[in-house]
Amino acid sequence: MARKSLRERIGQGVFLLDGAMGTQLFERGAEVGACNDYLNVKSPDVVCEVHRAYLDAGSDAVLTNTFGANKVALKRHGLADQAQRINQAGARIARRAAGEEKYVLGDIGPCGEFLEALGTLKAQELEDGFVEQARALLVGGVDGLIIETMTALDEIAVAIEAAKSVCGDLPLFASMSFDRAGSDFKTMMGVDVESAVSKIVSLGVYAVGFNCGTATLEEYVALAERLVAAATSASNEVLVFAEPNAGKPELVDGQAVYRVSPEDFAAAARMIHLAGVNIMGGCCGTTPQHIRAIYEAVGK
Ligand SMILES: [Zn+2]
């Protein structure tokens, strides 16, 4: 039986995304420092295995392994000319794992460079990269697109416009990464929650959210409340999604370590859900066990 449309399914209640991809790939032998996205071409079965672990844990949708697969980011690995291939493969692998019952969101991350005038990257080059990526993800069979971990308003605006120019009616999700800044939350580029939400909503997305960032679980709950309030005042249609990290990272030998247990993560997810968020998943430090715990707490 063909699945319901993504919008129809989300309209029915809690909808669970997946957790971290990178750490799961490293656990399965991926090389630190190499291009994770290229594994879609080189080791598709390993990527598929991670998707299946999340789907088995209760995810309703998985995100494609294409976070860094725009050509501006791929250039740093000498793979700019492989963008289409990597994205199409990423979408096909996720589709294979999700089958006809579950959903696939095509993942678009930041390019890792600053746009003019702060940097030297031209908006047109960035837009071309995101259009190419979004188009390849669609060819590979995604149900929607998710732009995430953005910190700059100009970059997320370019990404949204690019995605919208090719995605037709498919739902578009967009999120930024906020850190605690005094009594407030701001992205690394100094964007506060209200400015982010009003800009993103004005560009016409299906859902606005937060992912990644550095905050305690308690702070992520407060952030969710702020984001819901901002989204509600910006539009009565836009949905909100949340993908917190597994708490605030501790630096151990220069590596970020996340120590929040699946149970504590699920308790925070329940609070985030009570704040009005129905679409939830996890970012850095989360595992299939964390998603399983959210599923047990709110997803069933
Ligand atoms: Zn993250």
Side-chain angles (χ1 to χ4, degrees):
M1 196 187 80
R3 62 193 176 278
K4 295 185 177 72
S5 80
L6 182 53
R7 287 169 200 272
E8 208 182 329
R9 167 61 188 84
I10 288 175
Q12 292 181 331
V14 172
F15 188 81
L16 296 186
L17 305 174
D18 59 8
M21 169 61 81
T23 41
Q24 295 297 308
L25 291 173
F26 298 138
E27 273 182 19
R28 290 165 174 82
E31 225 174 292
V32 176
C35 178
N36 274 351
D37 308 74
Y38 193 65
L39 293 174
N40 297 340
V41 174
K42 207 175 107 190
S43 315
D45 291 345
V46 174
V47 178
C48 196
E49 208 179 286
V50 177
H51 290 320
R52 290 212 168 105
Y54 281 117
L55 293 161
D56 288 346
S59 294
D60 295 297
V62 289
L63 277 57
T64 56
N65 178 41
T66 54
F67 178 78
N70 64 77
K71 69 179 168 195
V72 177
L74 287 173
K75 201 159 45 177
R76 290 192 291 278
H77 293 285
L79 293 167
D81 62 343
Q82 298 290 310
Q84 280 190 36
R85 193 177 168 212
I86 292 170
N87 284 287
Q88 282 191 25
R92 293 210 168 99
I93 296 161
R95 182 84 270 156
R96 174 152 61 93
E100 289 303 313
E101 296 291 310
K102 302 285 185 93
Y103 298 84
V104 175
L105 293 180
D107 193 26
I108 296 175
C111 72
E113 288 180 33
F114 296 124
L115 278 165
E116 283 181 333
L118 191 59
T120 54
L121 180 64
K122 295 199 175 343
Q124 189 62 53
E125 186 187 347
L126 181 62
E127 189 179 335
D128 291 348
F130 284 140
V131 166
E132 175 190 47
Q133 180 176 21
R135 199 172 268 150
L137 289 166
L138 293 164
V139 168
V142 301
D143 300 298
L145 294 170
I146 183 164
I147 296 163
E148 59 168 7
T149 324
M150 291 284 175
T151 60
L153 275 185
D154 55 359
E155 183 174 9
I156 198 168
V158 169
I160 292 171
E161 298 285 12
K164 284 189 70 176
S165 74
V166 294
C167 79
D169 283 343
L170 293 186
L172 178 60
F173 297 64
S175 69
M176 299 191 90
S177 288
F178 295 94
D179 303 315
R180 185 87 202 189
S183 60
D184 203 358
F185 294 98
K186 288 208 165 110
T187 73
M188 193 182 71
M189 300 302 288
V191 182
D192 63 33
V193 174
E194 289 71 23
S195 312
V197 170
S198 82
K199 176 73 179 177
I200 292 168
V201 170
S202 76
L203 293 168
V205 299
Y206 172 70
V208 60
F210 70 84
N211 77 294
C212 216
T214 54
T216 63
L217 286 180
E218 223 167 63
E219 289 164 351
Y220 278 122
V221 175
L223 173 59
E225 287 164 356
R226 280 280 292 276
L227 210 127
V228 168
T232 309
S233 74
S235 152
N236 49 20
E237 279 182 4
V238 75
L239 301 181
V240 174
F241 69 101
E243 294 175 290
N245 287 341
K248 208 178 171 98
E250 286 172 42
L251 274 186
V252 179
D253 299 332
Q255 295 274 29
V257 176
Y258 298 84
R259 297 193 193 278
V260 167
S261 69
E263 293 68 32
D264 290 347
F265 190 72
R270 184 192 284 278
M271 299 294 287
I272 289 171
H273 175 52
L274 289 174
V277 180
N278 271 341
I279 308 169
M280 287 180 289
C283 202
C284 301
T286 59
T287 66
Q289 290 73 40
H290 290 79
I291 298 302
R292 166 77 65 194
I294 314 186
Y295 176 75
E296 300 289 339
V298 299
K300 282 204 272 199

